[in-house]
Amino acid sequence: MTTPEAYTRDTSDGSGSLPDADVLLRQTDWAALDFAFEPEVIDVADALTKLFDENADVRARALRDLKEAANHQNTIYPATPSVALYIAAVLPDDRTEATGRYGEDDRIRPLRAALIDWLRVLAYDVDDSSVAAAQRHGFGVYPAQAELRALRPTLFHAVMAFVDDSDVDVRHTAITTALVLLDTPQEHARHRAELAKPVADLLATSTNWYHRAQALDALDAWGEDTVTLRQTEPPRPGIRRAEPRS
């Protein structure tokens, strides 16, 4: 059975290597992996295949099923790293350009943007702050979390391929996800040169408060002054901007 460890050997840039997606799909015994639901409830291999169905509704349902099976209630299951690796491996596939309503906001966007955004969610679930919070409550890092954490450099390089994408949804989502995949100041410093222009372009063009917040946090991590920029940021949805005191 193929496992994520087979594709995370060190390379010259420390990123690990991505498998051939079709080989990974065929050689992984998905039914033997532990997900949130039994195969008779959600057939993960079938859902992975249906990501490329011609029908947009079928693709959207497949992505919802995968999220429920591999990341139910933000839990990392033993099978989650393999799914994340497959998602990263298929990102260059032209079929991920197919548009649909892949999310709760009912907005039409490319499947590629939705897949990259899910990698962002998975990265959050195993980032340093999440692990530290769990440890404060007496929980250690369990094997599935450790496997997914080990994949972060590989996932980072997979999404970095799209930070200059011609599609604005893909581009902004890739920039944001790449930033989330950087935990430490050392990682931010190492990748500042390649992310500086994409981050600047995002701040110049995006009206998405979340994307902008991640970009501003990156500028903070790089030691740049964001006070003026933050003063002119629009309020987040559902959050009323405090009135200045007289």
Side-chain angles (χ1 to χ4, degrees):
M1 180 176 69
T2 303
T3 61
E5 291 90 336
Y7 304 105
T8 56
R9 293 183 296 272
D10 288 339
T11 59
S12 59
D13 61 3
S15 65
S17 57
L18 282 169
D20 178 278
D22 290 335
V23 172
L24 178 61
L25 182 63
R26 292 195 308 270
Q27 293 187 355
T28 301
D29 187 357
W30 300 100
L33 296 174
D34 289 332
F35 289 92
F37 301 96
E38 296 299 322
E40 57 266 25
V41 178
I42 296 180
D43 185 330
V44 171
D46 182 61
L48 290 170
T49 301
K50 287 180 177 177
L51 282 176
F52 299 116
D53 195 274
E54 293 183 358
N55 187 298
D57 290 337
V58 173
R59 295 195 299 271
R61 176 57 185 271
L63 183 55
R64 288 197 300 271
D65 284 348
L66 287 171
K67 290 180 177 179
E68 281 296 296
N71 195 212
H72 181 64
Q73 296 182 343
N74 297 97
T75 301
I76 304 302
Y77 296 89
T80 308
S82 294
V83 174
L85 189 62
Y86 178 82
I87 295 302
V90 300
L91 290 178
D93 193 312
D94 289 344
R95 292 175 294 175
T96 62
E97 296 175 2
T99 57
R101 301 185 187 277
Y102 309 110
E104 297 177 356
D105 61 1
D106 207 34
R107 181 169 55 87
I108 296 177
R109 57 179 172 164
L111 176 61
R112 181 177 288 154
L115 294 176
I116 293 174
D117 197 42
W118 188 27
L119 292 179
R120 174 190 61 80
V121 173
L122 292 175
Y124 256 134
D125 291 339
V126 295
D127 68 5
D128 287 354
S129 60
S130 296
V131 169
Q135 289 175 335
R136 286 196 298 270
H137 290 85
F139 299 102
V141 177
Y142 54 91
Q145 286 179 313
E147 284 185 25
L148 190 54
R149 282 173 63 82
L151 280 175
R152 284 183 302 174
T154 301
L155 302 181
F156 173 82
H157 285 270
V159 302
M160 278 296 293
F162 301 97
V163 297
D164 295 314
D165 197 82
S166 60
D167 183 275
V168 66
D169 278 315
V170 172
R171 182 168 70 251
H172 287 175
T173 303
I175 295 167
T176 305
T177 301
L179 292 173
V180 170
L181 282 161
L182 299 177
D183 274 334
T184 67
Q186 293 78 12
E187 288 176 336
H188 274 280
R190 186 163 62 249
H191 296 288
R192 177 178 180 175
E194 57 190 317
L195 279 167
K197 184 179 184 300
V199 165
D201 289 344
L202 184 152
L203 287 171
T205 57
S206 177
T207 59
N208 182 300
W209 73 267
Y210 175 80
H211 289 173
R212 295 184 65 82
Q214 293 299 316
L216 289 171
D217 286 348
L219 295 184
D220 286 338
W222 297 337
E224 299 189 23
D225 186 356
T226 62
V227 173
T228 302
L229 281 172
R230 290 185 184 279
Q231 287 175 342
T232 60
E233 283 294 290
R236 297 182 181 184
I239 300 178
R240 182 179 178 180
R241 187 187 295 277
E243 296 296 330
R245 294 182 178 180
S246 57

Short mmCIF file of all heavy atoms in Angstrom, two decimals, residues 130-193:
data_model
loop_
_atom_site.label_atom_id
_atom_site.label_comp_id
_atom_site.label_asym_id
_atom_site.label_seq_id
_atom_site.Cartn_x
_atom_site.Cartn_y
_atom_site.Cartn_z
N SER A 130 -1.80 25.26 16.43
CA SER A 130 -2.80 24.22 16.75
C SER A 130 -2.18 23.14 17.63
O SER A 130 -2.82 22.67 18.58
CB SER A 130 -3.34 23.60 15.46
OG SER A 130 -4.03 24.54 14.68
N VAL A 131 -0.96 22.75 17.30
CA VAL A 131 -0.29 21.73 18.10
C VAL A 131 -0.03 22.26 19.51
O VAL A 131 -0.23 21.55 20.51
CB VAL A 131 1.03 21.30 17.42
CG1 VAL A 131 1.87 20.44 18.37
CG2 VAL A 131 0.73 20.54 16.14
N ALA A 132 0.41 23.51 19.60
CA ALA A 132 0.68 24.10 20.92
C ALA A 132 -0.59 24.17 21.76
O ALA A 132 -0.57 23.90 22.97
CB ALA A 132 1.28 25.50 20.75
N ALA A 133 -1.71 24.51 21.12
CA ALA A 133 -2.98 24.57 21.84
C ALA A 133 -3.38 23.20 22.36
O ALA A 133 -3.85 23.05 23.50
CB ALA A 133 -4.07 25.14 20.93
N ALA A 134 -3.20 22.16 21.53
CA ALA A 134 -3.52 20.81 21.96
C ALA A 134 -2.63 20.38 23.12
O ALA A 134 -3.09 19.73 24.07
CB ALA A 134 -3.38 19.84 20.79
N GLN A 135 -1.37 20.75 23.05
CA GLN A 135 -0.44 20.37 24.11
C GLN A 135 -0.79 21.06 25.43
O GLN A 135 -0.60 20.48 26.51
CB GLN A 135 0.98 20.68 23.68
CG GLN A 135 1.50 19.76 22.58
CD GLN A 135 2.87 20.13 22.07
OE1 GLN A 135 3.28 21.29 22.17
NE2 GLN A 135 3.58 19.17 21.50
N ARG A 136 -1.30 22.27 25.35
CA ARG A 136 -1.71 22.96 26.57
C ARG A 136 -2.86 22.23 27.26
O ARG A 136 -3.05 22.35 28.47
CB ARG A 136 -2.13 24.40 26.25
CG ARG A 136 -0.95 25.33 25.95
CD ARG A 136 -1.37 26.78 26.03
NE ARG A 136 -2.39 27.11 25.04
CZ ARG A 136 -2.12 27.54 23.81
NH1 ARG A 136 -0.86 27.67 23.41
NH2 ARG A 136 -3.09 27.84 22.99
N HIS A 137 -3.63 21.48 26.47
CA HIS A 137 -4.74 20.71 27.03
C HIS A 137 -4.36 19.25 27.26
O HIS A 137 -5.23 18.41 27.48
CB HIS A 137 -5.95 20.78 26.09
CG HIS A 137 -6.60 22.14 26.04
ND1 HIS A 137 -6.16 23.15 25.21
CD2 HIS A 137 -7.63 22.67 26.75
CE1 HIS A 137 -6.90 24.23 25.38
NE2 HIS A 137 -7.79 23.97 26.32
N GLY A 138 -3.07 18.95 27.21
CA GLY A 138 -2.60 17.62 27.55
C GLY A 138 -2.57 16.63 26.41
O GLY A 138 -2.42 15.43 26.64
N PHE A 139 -2.71 17.12 25.16
CA PHE A 139 -2.71 16.21 24.01
C PHE A 139 -1.40 16.37 23.24
O PHE A 139 -0.94 17.48 23.00
CB PHE A 139 -3.88 16.51 23.08
CG PHE A 139 -5.23 16.35 23.72
CD1 PHE A 139 -5.94 17.46 24.16
CD2 PHE A 139 -5.77 15.09 23.92
CE1 PHE A 139 -7.18 17.32 24.76
CE2 PHE A 139 -7.01 14.93 24.52
CZ PHE A 139 -7.71 16.05 24.95
N GLY A 140 -0.84 15.27 22.85
CA GLY A 140 0.38 15.31 22.05
C GLY A 140 0.06 15.24 20.57
O GLY A 140 -1.11 15.20 20.17
N VAL A 141 1.11 15.22 19.74
CA VAL A 141 0.93 15.08 18.30
C VAL A 141 0.77 13.60 17.98
O VAL A 141 1.65 12.79 18.25
CB VAL A 141 2.16 15.65 17.55
CG1 VAL A 141 2.00 15.44 16.05
CG2 VAL A 141 2.32 17.13 17.87
N TYR A 142 -0.37 13.24 17.41
CA TYR A 142 -0.58 11.82 17.09
C TYR A 142 -0.09 11.56 15.67
O TYR A 142 0.18 12.49 14.89
CB TYR A 142 -2.04 11.41 17.29
CG TYR A 142 -3.08 12.23 16.58
CD1 TYR A 142 -3.51 11.90 15.30
CD2 TYR A 142 -3.68 13.34 17.21
CE1 TYR A 142 -4.49 12.63 14.66
CE2 TYR A 142 -4.67 14.07 16.57
CZ TYR A 142 -5.07 13.72 15.29
OH TYR A 142 -6.04 14.46 14.66
N PRO A 143 0.10 10.28 15.29
CA PRO A 143 0.80 9.94 14.05
C PRO A 143 0.23 10.61 12.79
O PRO A 143 1.02 11.07 11.95
CB PRO A 143 0.65 8.42 13.97
CG PRO A 143 0.60 8.00 15.41
CD PRO A 143 -0.19 9.08 16.11
N ALA A 144 -1.08 10.67 12.65
CA ALA A 144 -1.64 11.27 11.44
C ALA A 144 -1.30 12.75 11.34
O ALA A 144 -1.00 13.26 10.25
CB ALA A 144 -3.16 11.09 11.42
N GLN A 145 -1.31 13.45 12.48
CA GLN A 145 -0.90 14.85 12.48
C GLN A 145 0.56 14.99 12.08
O GLN A 145 0.92 15.86 11.30
CB GLN A 145 -1.11 15.46 13.87
CG GLN A 145 -2.53 15.76 14.25
CD GLN A 145 -2.61 16.33 15.65
OE1 GLN A 145 -1.99 15.80 16.58
NE2 GLN A 145 -3.37 17.40 15.82
N ALA A 146 1.40 14.13 12.64
CA ALA A 146 2.83 14.18 12.34
C ALA A 146 3.08 13.94 10.84
O ALA A 146 3.92 14.61 10.22
CB ALA A 146 3.59 13.15 13.17
N GLU A 147 2.35 13.01 10.25
CA GLU A 147 2.50 12.73 8.82
C GLU A 147 2.11 13.94 7.99
O GLU A 147 2.81 14.32 7.03
CB GLU A 147 1.63 11.54 8.42
CG GLU A 147 2.17 10.19 8.85
CD GLU A 147 1.34 9.05 8.31
OE1 GLU A 147 0.66 9.25 7.27
OE2 GLU A 147 1.34 7.97 8.92
N LEU A 148 0.99 14.58 8.35
CA LEU A 148 0.54 15.73 7.59
C LEU A 148 1.48 16.92 7.78
O LEU A 148 1.78 17.66 6.84
CB LEU A 148 -0.89 16.10 7.99
CG LEU A 148 -1.59 17.15 7.11
CD1 LEU A 148 -1.57 16.74 5.65
CD2 LEU A 148 -3.02 17.36 7.57
N ARG A 149 1.98 17.09 9.00
CA ARG A 149 2.95 18.15 9.24
C ARG A 149 4.21 17.94 8.40
O ARG A 149 4.79 18.89 7.87
CB ARG A 149 3.31 18.20 10.73
CG ARG A 149 2.25 18.88 11.58
CD ARG A 149 2.56 18.75 13.07
NE ARG A 149 3.80 19.41 13.45
CZ ARG A 149 3.93 20.72 13.70
NH1 ARG A 149 2.87 21.51 13.57
NH2 ARG A 149 5.08 21.24 14.06
N ALA A 150 4.61 16.69 8.26
CA ALA A 150 5.80 16.39 7.46
C ALA A 150 5.59 16.69 5.98
O ALA A 150 6.56 16.94 5.24
CB ALA A 150 6.19 14.92 7.64
N LEU A 151 4.35 16.72 5.55
CA LEU A 151 4.04 17.00 4.16
C LEU A 151 3.99 18.49 3.84
O LEU A 151 3.92 18.88 2.67
CB LEU A 151 2.67 16.39 3.78
CG LEU A 151 2.62 14.91 3.46
CD1 LEU A 151 1.18 14.48 3.23
CD2 LEU A 151 3.46 14.59 2.23
N ARG A 152 4.03 19.34 4.86
CA ARG A 152 3.84 20.77 4.61
C ARG A 152 4.82 21.36 3.59
O ARG A 152 4.39 22.13 2.72
CB ARG A 152 3.90 21.54 5.94
CG ARG A 152 2.63 21.39 6.76
CD ARG A 152 2.70 22.22 8.04
NE ARG A 152 3.85 21.86 8.85
CZ ARG A 152 4.21 22.49 9.96
NH1 ARG A 152 3.50 23.53 10.38
NH2 ARG A 152 5.26 22.10 10.66
N PRO A 153 6.12 21.05 3.63
CA PRO A 153 7.01 21.59 2.59
C PRO A 153 6.61 21.14 1.19
O PRO A 153 6.70 21.91 0.22
CB PRO A 153 8.39 21.04 2.98
CG PRO A 153 8.28 20.77 4.45
CD PRO A 153 6.88 20.30 4.67
N THR A 154 6.17 19.90 1.07
CA THR A 154 5.73 19.39 -0.24
C THR A 154 4.48 20.12 -0.70
O THR A 154 4.36 20.51 -1.87
CB THR A 154 5.45 17.88 -0.15
OG1 THR A 154 6.64 17.21 0.27
CG2 THR A 154 5.02 17.32 -1.49
N LEU A 155 3.52 20.32 0.20
CA LEU A 155 2.29 21.03 -0.14
C LEU A 155 2.60 22.49 -0.49
O LEU A 155 1.99 23.06 -1.41
CB LEU A 155 1.29 20.96 1.02
CG LEU A 155 0.89 19.57 1.49
CD1 LEU A 155 -0.14 19.67 2.63
CD2 LEU A 155 0.32 18.74 0.36
N PHE A 156 3.54 23.08 0.24
CA PHE A 156 3.92 24.47 -0.02
C PHE A 156 4.40 24.62 -1.46
O PHE A 156 3.96 25.51 -2.20
CB PHE A 156 5.01 24.90 0.96
CG PHE A 156 5.59 26.25 0.67
CD1 PHE A 156 4.94 27.40 1.09
CD2 PHE A 156 6.78 26.38 -0.04
CE1 PHE A 156 5.47 28.67 0.79
CE2 PHE A 156 7.32 27.62 -0.32
CZ PHE A 156 6.66 28.77 0.09
N HIS A 157 5.32 23.77 -1.87
CA HIS A 157 5.85 23.88 -3.22
C HIS A 157 4.80 23.54 -4.27
O HIS A 157 4.85 24.08 -5.39
CB HIS A 157 7.09 22.99 -3.38
CG HIS A 157 8.30 23.57 -2.71
ND1 HIS A 157 9.16 24.42 -3.35
CD2 HIS A 157 8.75 23.47 -1.43
CE1 HIS A 157 10.12 24.80 -2.52
NE2 HIS A 157 9.89 24.24 -1.35
N ALA A 158 3.84 22.71 -3.93
CA ALA A 158 2.76 22.40 -4.87
C ALA A 158 1.89 23.63 -5.13
O ALA A 158 1.52 23.92 -6.27
CB ALA A 158 1.91 21.25 -4.34
N VAL A 159 1.55 24.37 -4.09
CA VAL A 159 0.68 25.54 -4.27
C VAL A 159 1.45 26.75 -4.78
O VAL A 159 0.88 27.62 -5.45
CB VAL A 159 -0.08 25.89 -2.98
CG1 VAL A 159 -0.92 24.71 -2.50
CG2 VAL A 159 0.85 26.36 -1.88
N MET A 160 2.76 26.81 -4.51
CA MET A 160 3.56 27.94 -5.00
C MET A 160 3.57 28.01 -6.52
O MET A 160 3.80 29.08 -7.11
CB MET A 160 4.99 27.83 -4.47
CG MET A 160 5.18 28.36 -3.07
SD MET A 160 4.88 30.15 -2.93
CE MET A 160 6.26 30.80 -3.90
N ALA A 161 3.31 26.89 -7.17
CA ALA A 161 3.27 26.87 -8.63
C ALA A 161 2.13 27.73 -9.18
O ALA A 161 2.12 28.04 -10.38
CB ALA A 161 3.11 25.43 -9.13
N PHE A 162 1.21 28.16 -8.31
CA PHE A 162 0.02 28.88 -8.78
C PHE A 162 -0.12 30.28 -8.21
O PHE A 162 -1.15 30.92 -8.38
CB PHE A 162 -1.24 28.05 -8.46
CG PHE A 162 -1.22 26.70 -9.09
CD1 PHE A 162 -0.81 25.58 -8.37
CD2 PHE A 162 -1.55 26.53 -10.43
CE1 PHE A 162 -0.75 24.33 -8.96
CE2 PHE A 162 -1.49 25.29 -11.03
CZ PHE A 162 -1.10 24.19 -10.29
N VAL A 163 0.94 30.80 -7.59
CA VAL A 163 0.83 32.15 -7.01
C VAL A 163 0.85 33.24 -8.08
O VAL A 163 0.54 34.40 -7.79
CB VAL A 163 1.94 32.42 -5.97
CG1 VAL A 163 1.82 31.47 -4.79
CG2 VAL A 163 3.33 32.35 -6.62
N ASP A 164 1.16 32.87 -9.32
CA ASP A 164 1.09 33.82 -10.44
C ASP A 164 0.07 33.37 -11.48
O ASP A 164 0.12 33.79 -12.64
CB ASP A 164 2.47 33.96 -11.10
CG ASP A 164 3.50 34.59 -10.18
OD1 ASP A 164 3.18 35.60 -9.53
OD2 ASP A 164 4.62 34.06 -10.09
N ASP A 165 -0.87 32.53 -11.07
CA ASP A 165 -1.84 31.98 -12.00
C ASP A 165 -2.68 33.10 -12.63
O ASP A 165 -2.93 34.14 -12.01
CB ASP A 165 -2.76 31.00 -11.27
CG ASP A 165 -3.53 30.10 -12.22
OD1 ASP A 165 -2.96 29.08 -12.67
OD2 ASP A 165 -4.69 30.43 -12.52
N SER A 166 -3.13 32.87 -13.85
CA SER A 166 -3.93 33.88 -14.54
C SER A 166 -5.32 34.04 -13.94
O SER A 166 -5.94 35.11 -14.07
CB SER A 166 -4.05 33.52 -16.03
OG SER A 166 -4.69 32.26 -16.19
N ASP A 167 -5.82 33.01 -13.26
CA ASP A 167 -7.13 33.10 -12.63
C ASP A 167 -6.99 33.74 -11.25
O ASP A 167 -6.20 33.25 -10.42
CB ASP A 167 -7.77 31.72 -12.51
CG ASP A 167 -9.17 31.78 -11.91
OD1 ASP A 167 -9.28 31.78 -10.66
OD2 ASP A 167 -10.14 31.86 -12.68
N VAL A 168 -7.72 34.78 -10.97
CA VAL A 168 -7.55 35.52 -9.73
C VAL A 168 -7.91 34.68 -8.51
O VAL A 168 -7.26 34.80 -7.46
CB VAL A 168 -8.36 36.85 -9.76
CG1 VAL A 168 -9.86 36.57 -9.81
CG2 VAL A 168 -8.00 37.73 -8.59
N ASP A 169 -8.93 33.84 -8.60
CA ASP A 169 -9.30 32.99 -7.46
C ASP A 169 -8.19 32.01 -7.14
O ASP A 169 -7.83 31.83 -5.97
CB ASP A 169 -10.60 32.23 -7.75
CG ASP A 169 -11.84 33.07 -7.50
OD1 ASP A 169 -11.89 33.74 -6.46
OD2 ASP A 169 -12.75 33.05 -8.35
N VAL A 170 -7.65 31.38 -8.16
CA VAL A 170 -6.55 30.43 -7.95
C VAL A 170 -5.34 31.16 -7.39
O VAL A 170 -4.71 30.71 -6.43
CB VAL A 170 -6.19 29.72 -9.27
CG1 VAL A 170 -4.92 28.88 -9.10
CG2 VAL A 170 -7.34 28.84 -9.73
N ARG A 171 -5.03 32.30 -7.99
CA ARG A 171 -3.83 33.05 -7.60
C ARG A 171 -3.90 33.48 -6.14
O ARG A 171 -2.97 33.23 -5.35
CB ARG A 171 -3.68 34.27 -8.50
CG ARG A 171 -2.44 35.10 -8.23
CD ARG A 171 -2.21 36.09 -9.34
NE ARG A 171 -3.19 37.17 -9.39
CZ ARG A 171 -4.13 37.30 -10.34
NH1 ARG A 171 -4.22 36.41 -11.32
NH2 ARG A 171 -4.96 38.33 -10.32
N HIS A 172 -4.99 34.13 -5.74
CA HIS A 172 -5.10 34.63 -4.37
C HIS A 172 -5.18 33.50 -3.35
O HIS A 172 -4.62 33.59 -2.25
CB HIS A 172 -6.31 35.54 -4.25
CG HIS A 172 -6.12 36.86 -4.92
ND1 HIS A 172 -7.13 37.80 -5.02
CD2 HIS A 172 -5.04 37.41 -5.53
CE1 HIS A 172 -6.67 38.87 -5.66
NE2 HIS A 172 -5.42 38.65 -5.99
N THR A 173 -5.87 32.42 -3.72
CA THR A 173 -5.97 31.28 -2.80
C THR A 173 -4.62 30.61 -2.64
O THR A 173 -4.24 30.19 -1.54
CB THR A 173 -7.01 30.26 -3.31
OG1 THR A 173 -8.27 30.91 -3.47
CG2 THR A 173 -7.18 29.12 -2.32
N ALA A 174 -3.85 30.52 -3.72
CA ALA A 174 -2.52 29.91 -3.64
C ALA A 174 -1.59 30.74 -2.78
O ALA A 174 -0.83 30.20 -1.96
CB ALA A 174 -1.94 29.74 -5.04
N ILE A 175 -1.64 32.06 -2.93
CA ILE A 175 -0.79 32.93 -2.11
C ILE A 175 -1.13 32.76 -0.64
O ILE A 175 -0.24 32.59 0.22
CB ILE A 175 -0.97 34.41 -2.53
CG1 ILE A 175 -0.47 34.63 -3.95
CG2 ILE A 175 -0.23 35.34 -1.56
CD1 ILE A 175 -0.90 35.96 -4.56
N THR A 176 -2.41 32.80 -0.32
CA THR A 176 -2.85 32.68 1.07
C THR A 176 -2.47 31.33 1.66
O THR A 176 -1.98 31.25 2.78
CB THR A 176 -4.37 32.89 1.17
OG1 THR A 176 -4.72 34.14 0.57
CG2 THR A 176 -4.83 32.87 2.61
N THR A 177 -2.68 30.27 0.89
CA THR A 177 -2.35 28.93 1.38
C THR A 177 -0.86 28.78 1.58
O THR A 177 -0.41 28.19 2.57
CB THR A 177 -2.88 27.88 0.40
OG1 THR A 177 -4.29 28.02 0.26
CG2 THR A 177 -2.58 26.47 0.89
N ALA A 178 -0.06 29.31 0.67
CA ALA A 178 1.39 29.25 0.83
C ALA A 178 1.82 29.93 2.12
O ALA A 178 2.68 29.42 2.86
CB ALA A 178 2.07 29.90 -0.37
N LEU A 179 1.20 31.06 2.44
CA LEU A 179 1.55 31.78 3.67
C LEU A 179 1.17 30.98 4.90
O LEU A 179 1.90 30.95 5.89
CB LEU A 179 0.85 33.14 3.69
CG LEU A 179 1.33 34.15 2.64
CD1 LEU A 179 0.45 35.39 2.66
CD2 LEU A 179 2.79 34.52 2.86
N VAL A 180 0.02 30.31 4.85
CA VAL A 180 -0.42 29.50 5.99
C VAL A 180 0.52 28.32 6.20
O VAL A 180 0.73 27.88 7.34
CB VAL A 180 -1.87 29.01 5.77
CG1 VAL A 180 -2.27 27.97 6.81
CG2 VAL A 180 -2.83 30.19 5.82
N LEU A 181 1.12 27.83 5.13
CA LEU A 181 2.02 26.69 5.23
C LEU A 181 3.40 27.06 5.77
O LEU A 181 4.25 26.20 5.96
CB LEU A 181 2.15 26.01 3.86
CG LEU A 181 0.97 25.12 3.47
CD1 LEU A 181 0.93 24.87 1.98
CD2 LEU A 181 1.01 23.80 4.24
N LEU A 182 3.61 28.36 6.02
CA LEU A 182 4.86 28.81 6.64
C LEU A 182 4.59 29.11 8.11
O LEU A 182 3.81 30.00 8.43
CB LEU A 182 5.38 30.08 5.94
CG LEU A 182 5.72 29.94 4.46
CD1 LEU A 182 6.13 31.29 3.90
CD2 LEU A 182 6.81 28.90 4.23
N ASP A 183 5.21 28.38 9.00
CA ASP A 183 4.95 28.54 10.42
C ASP A 183 5.97 29.44 11.11
O ASP A 183 5.62 30.34 11.85
CB ASP A 183 4.94 27.19 11.13
CG ASP A 183 3.57 26.53 11.07
OD1 ASP A 183 2.58 27.26 10.95
OD2 ASP A 183 3.50 25.30 11.15
N THR A 184 7.22 29.18 10.86
CA THR A 184 8.27 29.82 11.67
C THR A 184 8.80 31.08 11.00
O THR A 184 8.71 31.24 9.77
CB THR A 184 9.44 28.85 11.88
OG1 THR A 184 10.08 28.61 10.61
CG2 THR A 184 8.96 27.53 12.47
N PRO A 185 9.40 31.98 11.79
CA PRO A 185 10.05 33.16 11.20
C PRO A 185 11.13 32.79 10.19
O PRO A 185 11.32 33.49 9.19
CB PRO A 185 10.65 33.86 12.43
CG PRO A 185 9.80 33.44 13.57
CD PRO A 185 9.42 32.02 13.27
N GLN A 186 11.82 31.69 10.45
CA GLN A 186 12.87 31.25 9.53
C GLN A 186 12.27 30.86 8.16
O GLN A 186 12.84 31.17 7.12
CB GLN A 186 13.63 30.05 10.11
CG GLN A 186 14.47 30.37 11.34
CD GLN A 186 13.63 30.47 12.62
OE1 GLN A 186 12.45 30.10 12.65
NE2 GLN A 186 14.26 30.97 13.68
N GLU A 187 11.10 30.19 8.19
CA GLU A 187 10.45 29.82 6.94
C GLU A 187 9.99 31.06 6.18
O GLU A 187 10.13 31.16 4.95
CB GLU A 187 9.27 28.90 7.22
CG GLU A 187 9.67 27.50 7.65
CD GLU A 187 8.47 26.65 8.02
OE1 GLU A 187 7.42 27.23 8.39
OE2 GLU A 187 8.57 25.42 7.94
N HIS A 188 9.42 32.03 6.90
CA HIS A 188 8.99 33.26 6.27
C HIS A 188 10.17 33.99 5.63
O HIS A 188 10.08 34.47 4.49
CB HIS A 188 8.30 34.18 7.29
CG HIS A 188 6.84 33.90 7.45
ND1 HIS A 188 5.90 34.36 6.56
CD2 HIS A 188 6.16 33.19 8.39
CE1 HIS A 188 4.70 33.96 6.95
NE2 HIS A 188 4.83 33.26 8.06
N ALA A 189 11.26 34.06 6.34
CA ALA A 189 12.44 34.74 5.81
C ALA A 189 12.99 34.04 4.57
O ALA A 189 13.39 34.69 3.59
CB ALA A 189 13.51 34.83 6.89
N ARG A 190 12.98 32.71 4.60
CA ARG A 190 13.55 31.94 3.49
C ARG A 190 12.75 32.12 2.20
O ARG A 190 13.32 32.10 1.10
CB ARG A 190 13.61 30.46 3.89
CG ARG A 190 14.31 29.58 2.85
CD ARG A 190 14.72 28.25 3.44
NE ARG A 190 13.60 27.46 3.90
CZ ARG A 190 13.32 27.19 5.19
NH1 ARG A 190 14.09 27.69 6.13
NH2 ARG A 190 12.29 26.45 5.52
N HIS A 191 11.44 32.33 2.33
CA HIS A 191 10.60 32.41 1.13
C HIS A 191 10.10 33.83 0.84
O HIS A 191 9.26 34.01 -0.03
CB HIS A 191 9.41 31.47 1.28
CG HIS A 191 9.79 30.03 1.38
ND1 HIS A 191 10.26 29.31 0.28
CD2 HIS A 191 9.82 29.17 2.44
CE1 HIS A 191 10.53 28.07 0.67
NE2 HIS A 191 10.29 27.96 1.96
N ARG A 192 10.65 34.81 1.57
CA ARG A 192 10.19 36.18 1.37
C ARG A 192 10.39 36.66 -0.06
O ARG A 192 9.49 37.28 -0.65
CB ARG A 192 10.93 37.12 2.34
CG ARG A 192 10.58 38.58 2.15
CD ARG A 192 11.29 39.46 3.15
NE ARG A 192 10.96 40.86 2.97
CZ ARG A 192 11.36 41.84 3.77
NH1 ARG A 192 12.13 41.56 4.81
NH2 ARG A 192 10.99 43.09 3.54
N ALA A 193 11.54 36.39 -0.64
CA ALA A 193 11.84 36.90 -1.97
C ALA A 193 10.84 36.41 -3.01
O ALA A 193 10.41 37.18 -3.88
CB ALA A 193 13.26 36.49 -2.37
#
